[in-house]
Amino acid sequence: MPQSDNIPNDILIIGAGVLGLCTAVELTRRGHDVRVVDTGVSNASSVAAGMIAPILEAVMDRVTPERAVLMRDARSIWDGFAKGVGIAIHPAKTFWAGRQTTAMNKAIEQLEIQPGSVTDEGRVSVMSDVLIEPGPALAAMRSALARPVIKAWVGSVARTANGWKVATGQGEIEARTLVLATGASKPMAGLPPEVARLIARIQPIRGQIGSVPDRTDAVLRGLGIYVAPSGEGAVIGATMEPGRRDLEPDAAAGRQLIEAAEQLLGRPVARPVEWRVGIRGATPDGLPMAGASGEPGLYLALAPRRNGWLLGPLVARVVAEAIEGEIQDGGAGSPHAAALDPRRFLTR
């Protein structure tokens, strides 16, 4: 049985990916009694390059200026969040090394959130896009919690007189408030129908990434490809395959990524390549679901598409403010709460 079995908790978070752990850290800092339950298996947050890249992501996705500001603001939260948890931010130089350099630089300027600059080699340099190491970052957030993550499968949830009861492989856990940070998973048994319908709108997107013993000092990006420093080597990625949930690496996709990476680098990529696959979640408008679900005591921190690491602390802040009632009571909540509100999909 988990230590918390039959003991009412303030807040229970299901899921220990970047959104779940960021939210747990934020709520712990605010003085809440927080527990996290997670399967302990690899998730999309651990199978990631760890790029915090508001500028190039905004340009490649051709977002509106308003969404570009949201991404910039998410980046600005990271410095204080990382310092408080002990996460190292690596200011690796980031370059657009693909084609259409002039158009890319113009697109960056049109966002009006940060100018780019063209290097002597004809690349666009972006200074605010940085890196973290996902494995150490996840470990640092776990260590920042007051109590260890409960390793268990979650079978179902049920409303109780005082909140929620969660049935796990280690027993039942009760909490007054429940936060679902379950990635691209399908709706679990026992959820209220409206919440289940919200989660069912999340599309899985399969992403394949490779680790190579090939050190690079800068992040190089092009259309559908990046090469980024990671530990003693580099990572190459990543595919974006909507609708797929299978986790077996695809040899053909791997060859395409290697070929594209070699074009960026201008040289062969060192072997061997260790391939990994993660399943991201994405909403119809590309932004996460963060905040109240519409069901009392039930909150969501889900579906950041490929920007989980960038948006993690912002999602955490929005969810914490919703739980504490700051927005509803007229407090100074995040200006981006409405854009992330899960209930925006209930009327569509």
Side-chain angles (χ1 to χ4, degrees), residues 93 95-98 101 117-125 220 264:
K93 294 180 180 179
F95 299 99
W96 175 262
T101 298
S117 61
V118 180
T119 68
D120 293 339
E121 295 81 12
R123 298 171 171 174
V124 179
S125 174
L220 302 180
L264 281 187

Side-chain angles (χ1 to χ4, degrees), residues 275-298:
W275 295 109
R276 304 182 304 250
V277 174
I279 310 300
R280 309 175 180 96
T283 66
D285 66 9
L287 287 176
M289 296 184 189
S293 69
E295 188 75 17
L298 183 57

Side-chain angles (χ1 to χ4, degrees), residues 16-18 41-51 132-136 138 205-211 226 230 235-240 246-249 257 274-280 305-309:
V18 61
V41 302
S42 177
N43 55 45
S45 300
S46 59
V47 183
M51 290 184 292
I132 59 93
E133 292 281 357
L138 292 170
I205 300 180
R206 183 184 188 275
Q208 181 167 318
I209 184 173
S211 297
Y226 61 76
S230 178
V235 290
I236 296 170
T239 63
M240 293 282 288
D246 56 296
L247 294 173
E248 188 68 24
L257 287 173
E274 178 187 350
W275 295 109
R276 304 182 304 250
V277 174
I279 310 300
R280 309 175 180 96
R305 197 166 175 263
R306 65 185 180 201
N307 287 314
W309 281 102

Side-chain angles (χ1 to χ4, degrees), residues 17-323:
V18 61
L19 297 192
L21 288 178
C22 282
T23 302
V25 168
E26 179 70 22
L27 288 164
T28 298
R29 286 179 177 175
R30 294 172 179 239
H32 294 280
D33 171 30
V34 182
R35 294 307 305 263
V36 178
V37 61
D38 184 79
T39 62
V41 302
S42 177
N43 55 45
S45 300
S46 59
V47 183
M51 290 184 292
I52 302 173
I55 305 301
L56 285 183
E57 293 291 348
V59 171
M60 288 191 296
D61 284 347
R62 299 179 180 180
V63 304
T64 63
E66 293 77 15
R67 187 168 298 189
V69 169
L70 181 151
M71 297 170 78
R72 178 204 64 190
D73 290 351
R75 165 68 184 93
S76 70
I77 298 173
W78 251 107
D79 291 327
F81 184 88
K83 183 177 180 180
V85 180
I87 296 174
I89 293 180
H90 305 289
K93 294 180 180 179
T94 299
F95 299 99
W96 175 262
R99 300 176 180 177
Q100 301 177 321
T101 298
T102 301
M104 177 62 66
N105 195 47
K106 183 177 181 181
I108 292 173
E109 292 176 349
Q110 288 176 340
L111 287 177
E112 298 180 352
I113 59 175
Q114 179 196 311
S117 61
V118 180
T119 68
D120 293 339
E121 295 81 12
R123 298 171 171 174
V124 179
S125 174
V126 182
M127 298 305 296
S128 70
D129 290 1
V130 295
L131 283 172
I132 59 93
E133 292 281 357
L138 292 170
M141 287 191 283
R142 286 172 176 262
S143 296
L145 302 179
R147 292 188 285 178
V149 173
I150 301 167
K151 184 178 179 180
W153 290 92
V154 174
S156 63
V157 302
R159 176 170 290 286
T160 68
N162 297 316
W164 297 89
K165 179 170 62 177
V166 178
T168 80
Q170 299 294 323
E172 292 183 342
I173 307 172
E174 295 187 11
R176 284 182 286 273
T177 299
L178 184 62
V179 179
L180 303 183
T182 47
S185 297
K186 296 178 181 180
M188 62 185 62
L191 286 175
E194 285 291 312
V195 178
R197 280 193 286 271
L198 276 178
I199 295 174
R201 300 200 67 177
I202 295 173
Q203 180 185 47
I205 300 180
R206 183 184 188 275
Q208 181 167 318
I209 184 173
S211 297
V212 295
D214 194 336
R215 182 65 188 176
T216 178
D217 294 327
V219 178
L220 302 180
R221 303 196 68 165
L223 285 176
I225 184 67
Y226 61 76
V227 180
S230 178
E232 297 301 316
V235 290
I236 296 170
T239 63
M240 293 282 288
E241 302 169 82
R244 292 184 62 179
R245 294 184 180 271
D246 56 296
L247 294 173
E248 188 68 24
D250 185 303
R255 287 192 295 269
Q256 292 175 359
L257 287 173
I258 290 293
E259 291 173 2
E262 290 178 340
Q263 290 182 3
L264 281 187
L265 292 167
R267 57 176 172 78
V269 170
R271 306 305 201 268
V273 183
E274 178 187 350
W275 295 109
R276 304 182 304 250
V277 174
I279 310 300
R280 309 175 180 96
T283 66
D285 66 9
L287 287 176
M289 296 184 189
S293 69
E295 188 75 17
L298 183 57
Y299 298 81
L300 306 182
L302 296 168
R305 197 166 175 263
R306 65 185 180 201
N307 287 314
W309 281 102
L310 168 63
L311 298 175
L314 174 61
V315 165
R317 183 175 294 185
V318 168
V319 173
E321 289 171 350
I323 289 173

Side-chain angles (χ1 to χ4, degrees), residues 330-341:
S334 169
H336 304 299
L340 305 185
D341 190 334

